[in-house]
Amino acid sequence: MMKPTLLVLAAGMGSRYGGLKQMDGLGPNGETIIDYSIYDAVAAGFGKVVYIVRESFKDQMEAHVKEKYKGVKTVDGTPLEFVFVTQELTKIPARFTLNPERVKPWGTAHAVLMAADVIREPFAVINGDDFYGKESFKILADWCRAHAGTEGQYCIIGFELENTLSENGSVSRGICSYDAKGNLTDIAEHLEIAKEADGKVYGNNSVNGEKHVELDAKALCSMNMWGFTPDYFAKSAAIFETFLEANINEPKKEFYIPYAVDVIIKGGKGACEVLSTPAHWFGVTYQEDRPGVVAQFARLVSEGVYPSPLY
C-alpha cells in the first residue's frame, strides 16, 4: 500500500510568539503541536515526514526529532522516515539577483518547493503550529492513496468557519468558494472575524471592502492543509519564476500556496477539491494563545482521544 508523505512547514522563526513554536511543549508531557499532528498522520497511514526548517535551527530540531521518534513505526511496522530540508531566502533560481533589503524567505509555496527532490508520492502540507485533528489526517491520507499515479489533482481540507474561531480575539480566514463538482474556484480573505453576542459570526471582506458583514458559520475556510500529487512541484516552480520576474526587487512580497494553486487551476493545469472536515482547529500565534492550547490538549487527553505520554 502506498504511504503518502507529510510535509511540515516549520521554518517560521516565531517572532510574534517570542520563540520557536515548533519546539514548545504544550501537551501534558511536553508534547508539541507537531507531535500530535505526526501521531494522527501515522495512524492515518503516512509513512514519511519532511520538515521544512531554517538552517539556523536545523541541527537542533533534527536531533530533537530523531530522539523523540526513534521507536515510532508506520501502520505496516516499518520505521517512520524523517527528512529535513531548509528554506532560505537565497534559494532562488540562479538567474535572479536578490534584493539586499530582503530579510525573510519567500512564503509557503516557496517552502514547499524546497522538498521537490525528496518527495515522489502524493503528499500533504500542514503548518507546524496548527492542530488539525485526527479526522482531517484520515481524510487527507485517503485522498492521497486514491490519487497515487495521477497528475494535476490537488485538494484542500476545508474547516467550518465556526470551528476555527479564537476565544482570544478576532481572526483572519480565507473562505473557500467551489463549483458544483466541489472544486476550488477562489479563496477570499476575510479579516476581524469573531462570533458576537447574538451568536452570529461577523467579519470584514478584504476583497470587496465590506465591513462587519455576517458570515456563514458553516462556510469552509483554509487553514493551510493541502494535498498534492507530485507534479505540483514542477508547475509551482514555473509559477515561482514568473512571480520572481515581477517581484524580485520587492522586499516583502511572498509566494503563497493559495496563489500558486489559483494560477494552476485558472490556467487549466489542474483541479483542487475542497474536502470538508468536522474537526476543530486550534493553534498558537501569540504567547496569549498558549494557555488555551495547553487546556485543549489536557481536555483531549482526559477524554481519551490521545494517550499520555504521546510517545
Side-chain angles (χ1 to χ4, degrees):
M1 180 178 67
M2 189 280 294
K3 290 182 288 188
T5 288
L6 179 68
L7 192 158
V8 181
L9 301 178
M13 299 298 285
S15 57
R16 290 179 292 178
Y17 188 67
L20 287 180
K21 295 181 285 185
Q22 305 93 321
M23 298 182 70
D24 191 7
L26 301 167
N29 286 275
E31 295 91 348
T32 65
I33 291 181
I34 297 176
D35 289 337
Y36 287 97
S37 291
I38 291 176
Y39 183 90
D40 289 338
V42 169
F46 285 83
K48 180 169 70 176
V49 179
V50 177
Y51 276 85
I52 308 295
V53 297
R54 298 290 291 275
E55 190 66 50
S56 60
F57 58 83
K58 176 179 178 290
D59 291 344
Q60 177 190 7
M61 198 159 185
E62 187 169 359
H64 173 79
V65 165
K66 288 187 175 179
E67 174 63 25
K68 176 173 285 190
Y69 297 105
K70 60 184 178 184
V72 177
K73 299 289 198 301
T74 65
V75 290
D76 64 3
T78 58
L80 182 63
E81 182 181 352
F82 288 92
V83 179
F84 289 79
V85 181
T86 59
Q87 179 192 20
E88 302 296 337
L89 61 90
T90 54
K91 290 190 173 184
I92 58 176
R95 68 186 180 93
F96 294 100
T97 300
L98 193 67
N99 183 341
E101 294 183 16
R102 188 168 192 95
V103 296
K104 293 179 65 177
W106 295 89
T108 54
H110 175 249
V112 172
L113 282 175
M114 300 302 97
D117 293 335
V118 299
I119 298 177
R120 294 290 179 269
E121 56 284 316
F123 65 100
V125 176
I126 64 168
N127 288 336
D129 52 3
D130 289 327
F131 175 83
Y132 295 102
K134 57 178 69 264
E135 306 98 327
S136 306
F137 285 98
K138 175 66 164 57
I139 293 167
L140 201 43
D142 288 345
W143 182 92
C144 286
R145 284 189 289 267
H147 290 84
T150 65
E151 292 189 359
Q153 300 296 312
Y154 318 131
C155 73
I156 182 171
I157 302 297
F159 286 74
E160 293 183 3
L161 182 59
E162 64 181 356
N163 290 344
T164 73
L165 302 181
S166 171
E167 296 180 356
N168 297 320
S170 63
V171 298
S172 298
R173 296 287 180 258
I175 296 179
C176 300
S177 297
Y178 44 91
D179 61 23
K181 294 182 179 179
N183 289 327
L184 184 71
T185 57
D186 189 44
I187 299 178
E189 187 75 9
H190 289 69
L191 312 175
E192 298 184 24
I193 302 171
K195 183 175 286 188
E196 300 188 3
D198 62 2
K200 298 178 180 179
V201 178
Y202 297 88
N204 301 338
N205 189 325
S206 65
V207 177
N208 62 21
E210 286 185 294
K211 303 288 186 181
H212 197 255
V213 293
E214 183 181 349
L215 303 174
D216 180 1
K218 299 293 185 182
L220 299 181
C221 62
S222 167
M223 301 308 296
N224 213 38
M225 189 179 202
W226 303 82
F228 294 107
T229 48
D231 59 281
Y232 169 79
F233 288 117
K235 292 183 175 73
S236 181
I239 297 167
F240 185 47
E241 292 228 14
T242 302
F243 173 88
L244 288 177
E245 288 170 357
N247 296 289
I248 188 62
N249 290 316
E250 297 291 335
K252 294 184 178 180
K253 280 277 191 177
E254 295 190 41
F255 182 55
Y256 293 119
I257 296 172
Y259 173 80
V261 171
D262 186 67
V263 172
I264 291 170
I265 62 179
K266 289 182 178 174
K269 299 298 176 85
C272 182
E273 295 180 71
V274 181
L275 305 177
S276 174
T277 177
H280 286 248
W281 168 95
F282 57 84
V284 289
T285 301
Y286 305 97
Q287 271 292 333
E288 291 79 7
D289 298 322
R290 193 178 190 279
V293 172
V294 170
Q296 290 271 29
F297 282 130
R299 176 184 61 81
L300 290 169
V301 168
S302 70
E303 293 175 354
V305 178
Y306 295 105
S308 184
L310 194 59
Y311 297 104

